[in-house]
């Protein structure tokens, strides 16, 4: 399994919205400048996120985007699956029922199932809020009064 550039950028875009989650709408241009990603590429990604209800948008001079829910309600796994599709390491694990005719005699199936479980355990237990905390600790914005 390899996460595409689009998947990585979607996660960075969502993290940027979470980092600047003041209730105000944020322009693609400002996200593009902070993340050093083409605004045209971000527009393609934000359209997908918007259609799925992950972000809210408003048009016009004061327009932009903001998270539809609190950062705690988004997991890395949900964001990546929206953009990437299945995160399963092999095709036979993509569906709920394994349709492979060889599954009952496949010695490697256990390996793929354990890898799939490990991937899901990681991405489904990290939220945008966790990434905000991590980013703040990396940039020195983690002070407490």
């Amino acid at each position: 399994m390899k996460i595409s550039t689009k998947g990585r950028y979607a996660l960075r875009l969502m993290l940027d919205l979470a980092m600047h989650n003041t209730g105000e709408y944020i322009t693609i241009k400002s996200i593009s400048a902070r993340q050093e990603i083409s605004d045209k590429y971000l527009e393609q990604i934000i359209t997908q996120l918007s259609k799925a209800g992950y972000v809210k948008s408003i048009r016009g001079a004061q327009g932009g985007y903001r998270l539809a829910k609190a950062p705690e309600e988004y997991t890395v796994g949900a964001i990546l699956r929206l953009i990437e599709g299945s995160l399963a390491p092999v095709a036979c694990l993509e569906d709920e029922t394994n349709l492979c005719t060889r599954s009952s005699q496949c010695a490697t199936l256990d390996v793929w199932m354990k890898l799939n479980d490990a991937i899901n355990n990681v991405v489904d237990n990290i939220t945008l809020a966790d990434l905000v905390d991590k980013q703040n600790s990396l940039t020195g914005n983690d002070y407490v009064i």
Side-chain angles (χ1 to χ4, degrees):
M1 177 199 80
K2 185 174 182 177
I3 304 298
S4 69
T5 298
K6 187 175 182 182
R8 292 190 339 266
Y9 284 4
L11 195 55
R12 284 174 53 189
L13 188 157
M14 291 291 285
L15 176 57
D16 192 282
L17 289 174
M19 295 284 300
H20 300 90
N21 191 25
T22 63
E24 300 291 317
Y25 286 86
I26 303 165
T27 65
I28 283 292
K29 190 172 236 166
S30 65
I31 298 168
S32 172
R34 282 191 298 269
Q35 295 299 320
E36 299 176 342
I37 302 170
S38 154
D39 56 345
K40 297 292 184 200
Y41 199 22
L42 288 178
E43 284 170 7
Q44 292 174 20
I45 297 168
I46 202 86
T47 299
Q48 205 171 343
L49 293 167
S50 185
K51 284 180 181 175
Y54 283 41
V55 297
K56 290 184 178 180
S57 64
I58 191 168
R59 295 178 186 259
Q62 302 299 315
Y65 299 89
R66 66 181 176 89
L67 295 178
K69 301 182 287 189
E72 298 81 17
E73 297 183 54
Y74 297 94
T75 65
V76 169
I79 296 164
L80 290 178
R81 283 186 196 91
L82 174 67
I83 301 300
E84 301 284 340
S86 172
L87 300 178
V90 290
C92 66
L93 295 178
E94 288 180 351
D95 298 319
E96 204 158 308
T97 304
N98 187 335
L99 302 175
C100 180
T101 57
R102 296 184 42 79
S103 64
S104 64
Q105 58 211 9
C106 180
T108 61
L109 183 57
D110 261 2
V111 174
W112 308 134
M113 289 173 64
K114 287 177 182 177
L115 181 58
N116 191 51
D117 290 346
I119 291 166
N120 290 331
N121 190 43
V122 170
V123 298
D124 291 337
N125 287 295
I126 300 173
T127 67
L128 275 183
D130 296 329
L131 293 178
V132 167
D133 291 344
K134 178 67 173 179
Q135 187 65 49
N136 283 334
S137 72
L138 292 171
T139 56
N141 295 331
D142 61 344
Y143 55 89
V144 177
I145 297 176

